[in-house]
Amino acid sequence: MADAATRDAALKMADNAKLAFEHGASKSAALSFCSALGAAFRACNLALDQSQEQNQPSGTVAFDEATRVAQNKLDSSVEGAVQVAIGALIEYADNDADAMRSLGGDVASRTDRADVRLRALSSLYNAAPNGRGEHGRLRYEMLLLVIAFGERAGLSSALHPVFAKVEEYGTQWELSPADRRGLLDAVASALVAGGDLAAAHEYKLKALHEVDPAANRSIEAEAERAAAVVTQSIMLDNVFRFDELPDLESVRALEHTHALLWELLNILISGGLKEYLAFHNANSAYVADTLKLSHEALVRKMRLLTFASLGIAKQELSYEEVASALEVEVDEVEAWVIRAISSGLLDARVDELGSRVVINRSTTRVFTKQEWQPLHQRIELWKRNLDALSSMLAAKRAAISAYDQ
């Protein structure tokens, strides 16, 4: 925290800038005012007032004075000061980008009264010209500042509506792949800080797709990024689809840079519990120490994925078939049916009298010819059943018509 002398100097500078601006509104006066206001934001603790700091100037004095420049008393003198600065920049300084960046950095330099500072930053972001080129670049930089501050101040949850639009913004502002990736990374980082790992993972996965073919990229660096995303995919309890990951060049590179992770990924894509257990027996230290993954959680995930594969192959499964494939006791099968349904992998019912599981729908893990064949057979069966039902209804209609005549 700045000492009293620094605070006094900052507030004095803001006051002098205010007077200069009042007596001669111009670009230089507007820029001086914004600079002085930024210094006050950087030096002053907004959470303190005169009753808390004996014999020291209030941290809101400069902001009160700045508000009076516009002769418009707002609810918050701090936010009012920022509105005055924005108005000065727009009217007298052609929305000077450097001044806006500088003031934004000053506002974000501390986290006292984080809610007020975040609203001030949001006002600066909204005041930045919207468009392409330099305008888009400024908007992008201000949004990064807002997101980073929200993360640091523990206010990321307030920015979720903004997070949902960052891909749209990337297109609207014509950002480069590197900048779009930077925006997605910032959102992912903020979500991780807020404890929402599943949502963060989605943005990290999107960031993997943002690759500039013309850029000189390090294969190793891209592979490390891809390895982190793949590992998190495996770790998250609600992720069961892995077949699209190898579509990414950086993920395919894992075959050469992270061979064991590549092998584990392919087991999750199309292998079963037996393949995973064999892998773990040979690489238990790698799973636990390098990837930091829980063997028990992976066994649970592989049992669910194996169950899904069983449901694709057959519409009816005996308890013994399920128990054998999942390597559990027969009396545990019903519990695993419930888990598979809850995870969204299966739509099924239990026939307790017949000791069987009837599959209505099962999630296909990867679409190859082998996986398409049972689906094709099932569709053909449905088609024949519908044709038979249609013929039966037509015959009944004909019989009724003949009877009426």
Side-chain angles (χ1 to χ4, degrees):
M1 179 176 171
D3 59 25
T6 303
R7 288 163 49 87
D8 286 348
L11 294 170
K12 182 67 173 175
M13 184 165 60
D15 190 47
N16 290 338
K18 178 266 299 183
L19 293 173
F21 186 72
E22 282 182 323
H23 288 93
S26 65
K27 179 176 181 178
S28 62
L31 295 178
S32 294
F33 174 69
C34 290
S35 177
L37 181 62
F41 263 110
R42 187 175 290 276
C44 298
N45 186 337
L46 305 187
L48 302 179
D49 58 27
Q50 287 177 322
S51 65
Q52 293 171 291
E53 286 199 338
Q54 295 295 327
N55 302 319
Q56 292 189 23
S58 166
T60 63
V61 169
F63 306 119
D64 287 333
E65 293 298 327
T67 302
R68 294 192 188 99
V69 173
Q71 296 180 343
N72 178 24
K73 185 65 178 176
L74 302 180
D75 290 339
S76 167
S77 57
V78 175
E79 293 170 72
V82 174
Q83 293 296 339
V84 171
I86 290 172
L89 287 175
I90 292 173
E91 186 169 355
Y92 299 103
D94 195 26
N95 231 334
D96 188 277
D98 289 336
M100 189 165 288
R101 291 187 186 98
S102 180
L103 181 54
D106 289 333
V107 173
S109 64
R110 305 167 62 108
T111 56
D112 48 89
R113 289 303 307 275
D115 56 333
V116 173
R117 289 179 182 268
L118 182 60
R119 288 197 296 271
L121 284 171
S122 297
S123 295
L124 285 166
Y125 162 73
N126 288 322
N130 200 6
R132 302 181 177 91
E134 286 302 314
H135 288 168
R137 181 71 190 178
L138 176 60
R139 195 91 163 171
Y140 161 73
E141 291 176 4
M142 295 304 295
L143 182 54
L144 282 182
L145 190 62
V146 170
I147 294 172
F149 179 80
E151 175 183 345
R152 191 157 49 87
L155 296 175
S156 296
S157 59
L159 299 175
H160 283 193
V162 177
F163 296 165
K165 296 181 178 180
V166 293
E167 291 176 279
E168 176 188 332
Y169 294 153
T171 301
Q172 181 180 337
W173 300 335
E174 295 185 347
L175 297 180
S176 68
D179 286 342
R180 289 199 299 269
R181 173 179 278 194
L183 200 51
L184 292 165
D185 283 343
V187 171
S189 178
L191 288 167
V192 169
D196 195 344
L197 298 183
H201 173 69
E202 292 299 318
Y203 284 94
K204 289 179 180 179
L205 190 56
K206 291 173 181 177
L208 272 186
H209 288 79
E210 295 296 344
V211 176
D212 185 354
N216 291 323
R217 295 176 291 119
S218 164
I219 295 177
E220 292 76 12
E222 286 295 306
E224 286 299 326
R225 174 186 279 265
V229 173
V230 169
T231 302
Q232 189 174 41
S233 296
I234 297 171
M235 178 197 72
L236 290 171
D237 292 336
N238 63 335
V239 175
F240 294 99
R241 291 299 302 267
F242 299 91
D243 58 313
E244 294 180 355
L245 287 171
D247 292 343
L248 295 165
E249 181 185 0
S250 57
V251 174
R252 292 196 301 273
L254 298 179
E255 184 176 6
H256 307 290
T257 61
H258 298 70
L260 288 177
L261 180 58
W262 175 255
E263 184 180 347
L264 178 58
L265 173 61
N266 278 279
I267 292 172
L268 284 149
I269 290 173
S270 58
L273 177 63
K274 285 183 171 58
E275 287 80 7
Y276 168 70
L277 291 175
F279 175 87
H280 183 263
N281 286 339
N283 304 286
S284 58
Y286 176 76
V287 172
D289 301 332
T290 303
L291 298 182
K292 309 295 183 185
L293 294 174
S294 163
H295 171 59
E296 292 73 18
L298 270 168
V299 168
R300 184 165 56 250
K301 178 171 283 195
M302 286 308 307
R303 280 180 172 144
L304 291 170
L305 290 171
T306 301
F307 206 161
S309 294
L310 290 176
I312 288 291
K314 296 177 68 174
Q315 284 187 280
E316 293 186 3
L317 299 165
S318 70
Y319 279 19
E320 288 75 13
E321 286 177 295
V322 177
S324 175
L326 272 55
E327 299 191 17
V328 298
E329 299 297 327
V330 171
D331 60 6
E332 296 179 69
V333 168
E334 291 182 13
W336 280 100
V337 172
I338 293 171
R339 291 189 186 103
I341 293 173
S342 299
S343 69
L345 289 171
L346 286 182
D347 177 13
R349 63 181 177 85
V350 171
D351 177 2
E352 293 185 76
L353 294 178
S355 295
R356 60 180 185 151
V357 180
V358 180
I359 308 295
N360 298 320
R361 177 195 59 79
S362 183
T363 299
T364 301
R365 294 168 62 189
V366 58
F367 285 99
T368 65
K369 184 176 181 180
Q370 182 179 356
E371 277 70 34
W372 274 112
Q373 190 61 34
L375 288 177
H376 174 71
Q377 292 172 352
R378 191 172 297 181
I379 290 170
E380 286 297 316
L381 176 61
W382 288 341
K383 183 180 177 182
R384 289 196 296 271
N385 289 340
L386 287 173
D387 287 343
L389 179 61
S390 178
S391 298
M392 182 179 69
L393 291 173
K396 286 189 175 182
R397 282 196 297 269
I400 292 172
S401 177
Y403 178 80
D404 289 342
Q405 292 176 357

